[in-house]
Amino acid sequence: MGKRLFGTDGLRGQVNIYPMTADVALRLGLAAGTHFRNGYRRHRVVIGKDTRLSGYVFESALTAGLCAAGMDVYLVGPLPTPAIAFLTRNMRADLGVVISASHNPFMDNGIKFFDKDGFKLPDETENKITDMVLDPDWQWDYPAPERVGRAAKIEDSPGRYIVYLKNSFPAHLTLDGMRVVLDCANGANYKVAPLALEELGAEVIKIGTEPNGLNINHQCGSLYPGVAAGKVLETRADVGLALDGDADRLIVVDEKGTVLDGDQIMALCADDMLRRGALRNNTLVATVMSNMALEVYMKERGCKLLRTPVGDRYVVEAMRREGANLGGEQSGHLIFMDHGTTGDGLMAALQILRIMRERDRPLSELAGQLQLFPQELINVHVERKIPFEQCQPVLDGVAKVEAELGDRGRVLLRYSGTEAVCRVMVEGEDAEQVKRLASLLAETVQKHLR
């Protein structure tokens, strides 16, 4: 395999620095349009973006490339990533494109694709597109002049997405009387999320709903859940919801101001689905980063936790393969396959609000049932990313730590996909032991991989 443009969630980087440049985006549009063009008919592409200033640059460049390749482009403006997945399916489009760098600051941006069924592209397809983009001598198969694509704006997209979201919420329930703190991170959900919750009857206290192109994720949203937690306590709200810039992840705050991560929310939702007999194959899909307590929690209920590499698209691939309908990441990506095809922060919020309403109990009682194991994560700078199995001292260090932890703890070593960093994670029941063992293992990694 040659050089890759795409990481675990599309192409991403700092704006106007390769590869996040207008010329690469233009070629990316040409490549994707050429790859997905199939037969002598009109083809459709839906393009959405978050609120970054640079979104205009990449929206225009991608549109030019896709139209030149013979695709009709439908621009929906700032909308969450999951909304683009939904609209791609709903409009019978051949391709969906999202311009966003998710939880990153405004100076970054990214591009990711969805296929006609609303799923992220597999590695093989991304590699084919990469080959076309990076080959300077690639001969583009341009269509005839009369087959060049058109571009148009779709004005009612937010309304379509709101109806889709509300259809996932029981028709006999409302959120009347519920006070919700909502932090939209000055990102893609700044309009839709408050409207959807208000239409269901909630009193919404808004944070991060005044984007200016530069303040996306800036000291707000899912990376700064303390902001929502403070507002929950100040306003005596029932719940706090913190989204990231493209609104595909959610961090939740209970009425006492306690921050709940993706693992705790997955436990709550898995328990609810088990009670209703709705958890398909008694399986929850999560990544290698999920806390061991979640694994124990599922096992105690006669269920299975299936782990995947980091990245919500790998979670989705495993869900499709295993026939599972609930999955997610510790970071807050939550996938409800009965309703959608990708992580959806607002969809997840509606599921949590439904559970609170149906069981008429505060969130602290509902979500407090999962007691997380102490977890220590240390990022170690490394010069060489050699396979761990080729470094015996590191393997010996891991074995020593695992022996001390026994079956109530675990070790994870993982290289960062974007930095010269090895992530050393240790989990166990004793916080002091976990901290000590993580520090020892990090020293071993630094000594033998620097």
Side-chain angles (χ1 to χ4, degrees):
M1 184 181 73
K3 187 176 179 182
R4 278 181 60 81
L5 275 178
F6 299 93
T8 55
D9 196 22
L11 170 67
R12 194 174 293 180
Q14 188 168 333
V15 174
N16 283 343
I17 297 176
Y18 181 87
M20 215 55 226
T21 59
D23 56 324
V24 171
L26 175 66
R27 291 181 67 85
L28 200 54
L30 270 170
T34 300
H35 180 83
F36 284 93
R37 197 173 66 221
N38 179 26
Y40 197 77
R41 61 179 177 86
R42 303 304 299 187
H43 294 75
R44 293 182 174 187
V45 182
V46 176
I47 299 183
K49 60 182 180 179
D50 62 24
T51 56
R52 291 162 213 271
L53 181 62
S54 60
Y56 296 102
V57 174
F58 300 109
E59 184 182 55
S60 299
L62 283 162
T63 298
L66 287 161
C67 286
M71 295 275 185
D72 289 336
V73 174
Y74 293 87
L75 302 167
V76 301
L79 272 184
T81 287
I84 307 309
F86 156 68
L87 288 167
T88 301
R89 300 193 313 275
N90 187 255
M91 294 180 64
R92 307 328 189 246
D94 299 273
L95 186 65
V97 187
V98 177
I99 303 164
S100 174
S102 188
H103 57 280
N104 288 24
F106 85 92
M107 64 280 295
D108 294 340
N109 215 330
I111 298 167
K112 49 191 167 187
F113 295 100
F114 289 101
D115 67 17
K116 63 183 179 62
D117 297 316
F119 292 105
K120 291 179 180 177
L121 305 185
D123 288 345
E124 312 86 76
T125 303
E126 288 185 343
N127 290 339
K128 289 177 183 176
I129 292 172
T130 295
D131 290 342
M132 298 165 73
V133 172
L134 297 183
D135 184 351
D137 300 317
W138 190 272
Q139 297 299 305
W140 299 106
D141 180 22
Y142 287 112
E146 67 274 12
R147 304 301 301 173
V148 166
R150 298 181 175 90
K153 290 185 178 179
I154 305 295
E155 302 292 349
D156 64 345
S157 300
R160 297 188 194 193
Y161 180 53
I162 288 174
V163 170
Y164 158 73
L165 287 168
K166 288 166 65 179
N167 282 339
S168 72
F169 194 82
H172 68 281
L173 292 180
T174 73
L175 299 178
D176 290 350
M178 188 172 280
R179 181 176 292 169
V180 179
V181 169
L182 176 67
D183 187 343
C184 294
N186 291 313
N189 228 343
Y190 77 101
K191 279 186 180 178
V192 169
L195 273 174
L197 295 176
E198 286 168 352
E199 287 184 15
L200 287 168
E203 176 191 348
V204 180
I205 298 163
K206 295 183 281 190
I207 302 171
T209 55
E210 298 180 357
N212 61 14
L214 307 178
N215 61 359
I216 186 169
N217 300 312
H218 181 63
Q219 297 182 354
C220 58
S222 63
L223 289 183
Y224 299 90
V227 177
K231 187 61 75 171
V232 166
L233 294 175
E234 177 191 328
T235 60
R236 298 184 179 179
D238 298 288
V239 63
L241 308 170
L243 302 164
D244 67 336
D246 69 334
D248 64 352
R249 70 168 75 180
L250 169 76
I251 297 296
V252 183
V253 180
D254 70 18
E255 80 284 356
K256 295 180 178 179
T258 302
V259 176
L260 307 169
D261 69 6
D263 288 342
Q264 292 165 297
I265 297 305
M266 280 190 279
L268 169 63
C269 294
D271 177 70
D272 168 72
M273 293 172 75
L274 271 173
R275 288 168 182 265
R276 296 187 287 114
L279 187 66
R280 233 182 281 157
N281 295 330
N282 284 347
T283 298
L284 170 64
V285 181
T287 75
V288 293
M289 295 303 292
S290 275
N291 196 282
M292 190 172 178
L294 185 60
E295 196 167 323
V296 173
Y297 180 89
M298 295 301 291
K299 191 177 293 184
E300 288 174 348
R301 285 157 178 75
C303 299
K304 178 174 68 173
L305 178 71
L306 179 65
R307 292 185 184 270
T308 74
V310 172
D312 67 312
R313 72 187 180 115
Y314 297 117
V315 173
V316 171
E317 286 173 7
M319 291 173 71
R320 297 175 74 185
R321 187 173 61 248
E322 299 291 325
N325 59 346
L326 177 64
E329 292 193 279
Q330 188 183 55
S331 60
H333 286 119
L334 298 158
I335 302 111
F336 297 86
M337 199 68 87
D338 293 337
H339 301 295
T341 57
T342 191
D344 190 328
L346 193 51
M347 176 79 72
L350 290 176
Q351 298 306 307
I352 294 159
L353 295 171
R354 171 188 60 77
I355 296 169
M356 292 173 63
R357 185 109 294 184
E358 286 178 341
R359 298 182 63 185
D360 194 26
R361 290 171 61 192
L363 186 57
S364 61
E365 290 183 22
L366 293 168
Q369 54 195 306
L370 181 69
Q371 299 301 314
L372 298 176
F373 282 25
Q375 184 184 87
E376 188 77 12
L377 178 65
I378 301 176
N379 290 328
V380 179
H381 179 78
V382 293
E383 297 296 336
R384 305 177 296 155
K385 290 186 179 181
I386 63 172
F388 298 119
E389 59 269 21
Q390 294 180 15
C391 186
Q392 193 59 46
V394 170
L395 292 182
D396 292 341
V398 169
K400 186 176 179 181
V401 171
E402 288 178 334
E404 186 170 337
L405 289 169
D407 61 0
R408 299 290 286 182
R410 69 183 184 114
V411 175
L412 176 68
L413 297 184
R414 185 175 71 87
Y415 289 121
S416 166
T418 56
E419 305 169 86
V421 163
C422 174
R423 308 200 194 283
V424 178
M425 189 189 79
V426 177
E427 277 181 353
E429 292 182 296
D430 183 282
E432 288 302 315
Q433 180 193 44
V434 164
K435 195 168 186 177
R436 174 175 56 81
L437 293 176
S439 180
L440 284 172
L441 188 54
E443 288 175 13
T444 301
V445 168
Q446 190 167 41
K447 180 179 178 181
H448 295 283
L449 294 179
R450 67 183 180 187

